[in-house]
Structure formats: structure tokens, C-alpha cells
């Protein structure tokens, strides 16, 4: 699929991703990796090269290479611990029981310290690095329905990557643009998906609404569980776009035909935070799915009657007054059961 960030075909269907998972980060018999102390600078030894047999390299050796490039460009002094280079986000991310051996193009680096010169060198010289993102003060996206959005900065390469989440019906693949959406670390048990599945068992909904969809994880998990109609919504443009994209990525497992995109990435980016809901995408087949971009407080204007269940994964979870205000308004305008994952 065409990537809106880099223009290449770096977004693949879920079946293709799942097929390569078993050996994606596993070493071959010829691989040899050194474990480094993350609390100290990397040792003063030659940078290890990727394995000549499989092209992979142990993650600690990749990070030592990253560290040395950043030190050469003055972003690190050389006295900081190895962990100061940044946070590794592998592609695709899934629950792993051992440290990975990285193939080319499998790592997005989140770093507070990296500058543009170092980032360009990392993408050009470190084969495992697909993109470098400089982190900002806040979490990407909207932290409050009435606040200005935050974001990180893509310095070089492409920051689109996927995470794999388990559901009872089978895994789902969730792509996201990492400079524009929050980080999720897949685990063998995902508490939000488990809470969704409990609510589905309890209410047996015909229609489910994921009112703050992020990249679409809960809505797609609901569709994977067999809910006949799913409606996803988010006010943030990147969340709405990647939710729509992820429906297309997983459509084979959802029994859907082609996904119709009603708004392009560029269209949505021109209005990064929406109030009045607009339809972004739709798909039908064994199930029916729609994606909107808009303020959840105005979503009732486009919702059908008879909503059985809604997830309100609110930005303001820690603000009890605001949570009560939003849930009370949802009950009055939409009805049905509500849960906050």
C-alpha cells in the first residue's frame, strides 16, 4: 500500500506480516551477538557488521552503531550510557521473549538527542534504521479535547511501523505513524482488548462504537470478534487516517470487500483536529465498518439508532469531572452501554 510518509509500498496486508513473524527477529546459526551494558557507553571496539548469512544484527550492536554516529555528530558526548541514544521501536512490534536480531529496515528510533545531520546519517549508514524521530515534551496527538495537539518530529526516513496485538479470534496488525501517534508496546495479554472482549461477551452488541479510536485497535478487535457493525472515530487526523488504513490492512480477516477512502491523508492533515464529524472511510462485506474524524461530543449527529456498546477511551481519564460530563452526555444523546478501557 502507498505510504503517505515516504511514498513507498511499506504498508503490507496483515497476512503477509503474520507469515514472516516466526523468524523475523530470530538469529540464524551463523549469527553472533554481544550483549552490552545499557547503563554504560558502548565499548571501544569496532562496530559489528550484519551477519553475512542472514543480514541481521543483534540489537545491542545496532545501538552501539547508532550511538557512535550520534557522538560523531556531537549529539552525544560519548560519556552517556548506551540507552541515552534513544528508544527502539521495532517493525513489526509484538510480544517477544528474547532480544531481537534486527533485519534491514526494522527499527524506528525515538530520540531526544538526535539532530538532523545524525538522523540523515543513521538512515543512510545503519541498515536497520528506517526512520529517526525526535521526541517532544508531550505525547503525540490530542491530550485533551480542548487543547492544542502535540507531536514529535520526523527527522529522516520513514516512521511508519506496525504492532501486532493478540485477540481471541486471532491477531490484528495496527500500523501507525510514530511521530503522530502514541507508542503502544504489544504484550501477550492486552488489557484494553481483554476488557473489550468481556464487554462484547456481556452485551452481544450488533453495533459497536470506538469513539476515541487512536490507530483503530479496539474497533478492529471488535470486528475481529464478529460484531456486525463497527464505527470508529477520532478527532485527530492521523488517528482517523491510520484507523482507516488498518481496516484495509486487516480486511481479509474481517470478511470485508474493498475499503473506500472518502478523505485522503492530505485532506485530513489540512484540518488536524476536527469538530463536526466527517466520514473518512467505509467498508462492507461480512461486516460493516465506518471511520469518522470528529469530536466525540458531536458524533451522535452521524450515528445510527440503536447503538449497543461504546468504548470511550477518553483523553481526560484522570479528570473525573470531565469523564462524568462526557459519559452523561453520551448516554443522553446516544444511549447503550459504555465502558472506559
Amino acid at each position: 500500500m502507498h505510504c503517505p510518509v515516504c511514498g513507498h509500498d511499506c504498508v503490507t496486508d496483515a497476512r503477509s506480516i503474520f507469515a514472516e513473524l516466526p523468524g523475523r527477529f530470530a538469529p540464524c546459526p551463523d549469527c553472533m551477538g554481544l550483549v552490552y551494558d545499557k547503563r554504560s557507553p558502548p565499548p571501544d571496539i569496532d562496530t559489528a557488521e550484519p551477519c553475512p548469512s542472514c543480514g541481521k544484527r543483534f540489537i545491542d550492536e545496532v545501538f552501539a552503531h547508532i550511538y557512535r554516529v550520534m557522538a560523531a555528530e556531537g549529539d552525544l558526548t560519548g560519556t552517556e550510557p548506551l540507552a541515552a541514544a534513544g528508544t527502539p521501536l521495532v517493525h513489526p512490534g509484538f510480544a517477544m521473549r528474547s532480544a531481537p536480531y534486527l533485519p534491514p529496515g526494522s527499527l524506528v528510533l525515538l530520540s531526544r538527542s538526535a539532530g538532523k545531520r545524525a538522523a540523515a546519517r543513521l538512515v543512510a549508514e545503519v541498515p536497520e534504521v528506517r526512520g529517526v524521530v525526535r521526541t517532544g515534551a508531550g505525547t503525540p496527538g490530542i491530550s485533551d479535547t480542548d487543547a492544542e495537539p502535540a507531536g514529535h518530529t520526523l527527522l529522516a526516513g520513514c516512521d511508519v511501523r506496525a504492532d501486532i496485538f493478540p485477540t481471541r479470534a486471532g491477531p490484528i496488525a495496527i500500523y501507525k505513524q510514530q511521530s503522530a501517534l502514541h507508542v503502544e508496546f504489544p504484550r501477550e495479554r492486552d488489557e484494553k482488548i481483554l476488557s473489550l472482549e468481556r464487554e462484547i461477551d456481556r452485551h452481544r452488541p450488533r453495533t459497536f462504537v470506538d469513539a476515541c479510536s487512536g490507530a483503530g485497535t479496539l474497533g478492529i478487535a471488535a470486528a475481529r470478534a464478529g460484531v456486525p457493525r463497527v464505527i470508529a472515530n477520532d478527532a485527530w487526523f492521523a488517528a482517523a487516517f491510520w484507523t482507516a488504513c488498518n481496516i484495509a490492512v486487516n480486511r481479509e480477516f474481517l470478511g470485508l470487500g474493498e475499503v473506500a477512502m472518502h478523505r485522503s491523508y492530505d485532506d485530513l492533515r489540512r484540518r488536524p483536529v476536527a469538530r463536526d464529524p466527517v466520514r473518512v472511510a467505509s467498508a462492507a462485506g461480512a461486516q460493516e465498518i465506518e471511520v469518522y474524524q470528529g469530536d466525540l461530543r458531536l458524533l451522535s449527529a452521524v450515528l445510527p439508532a440503536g447503538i449497543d456498546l461504546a468504548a470511550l477511551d477518553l483523553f481526560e481519564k484522570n479528570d473525573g469531572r470531565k469523564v462524568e460530563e462526557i459519559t452523561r452526555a453520551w448516554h443522553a444523546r446516544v444511549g447503550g452501554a459504555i465502558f472506559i478501557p
Side-chain angles (χ1 to χ4, degrees), residues 16 59 63 164 171 194 208 305 314 317 337:
S16 298
I59 188 170
F63 248 67
I164 311 302
L194 289 172
F208 167 71
L314 299 169
K317 281 183 181 178

Side-chain angles (χ1 to χ4, degrees), residues 151-195:
H152 299 327
T153 302
L154 176 61
L155 297 177
C158 181
D159 62 339
V160 172
R161 52 175 295 278
D163 286 314
I164 311 302
F165 294 97
T167 80
R168 287 189 309 206
I172 57 176
I174 303 295
Y175 277 87
K176 61 196 68 175
Q177 180 183 351
Q178 209 61 79
S179 59
L181 290 167
H182 66 279
V183 174
E184 296 178 285
F185 291 102
R187 294 175 171 83
E188 291 183 352
R189 287 171 50 89
D190 186 280
E191 292 302 325
K192 287 188 178 182
I193 292 175
L194 289 172
S195 68

Side-chain angles (χ1 to χ4, degrees), residues 24-44:
R24 172 69 171 171
F25 299 116
C28 79
D30 296 327
C31 281
M32 297 180 64
L34 294 177
V35 177
Y36 294 154
D37 183 355
K38 317 305 183 293
R39 300 165 297 177
S40 302
D44 187 16

Side-chain angles (χ1 to χ4, degrees), residues 207-209 231 303-310 330 334-337:
T207 304
F208 167 71
V209 178
I231 299 168
L303 292 178
I307 300 298
D308 305 294
L309 179 64
W330 184 275
V334 180

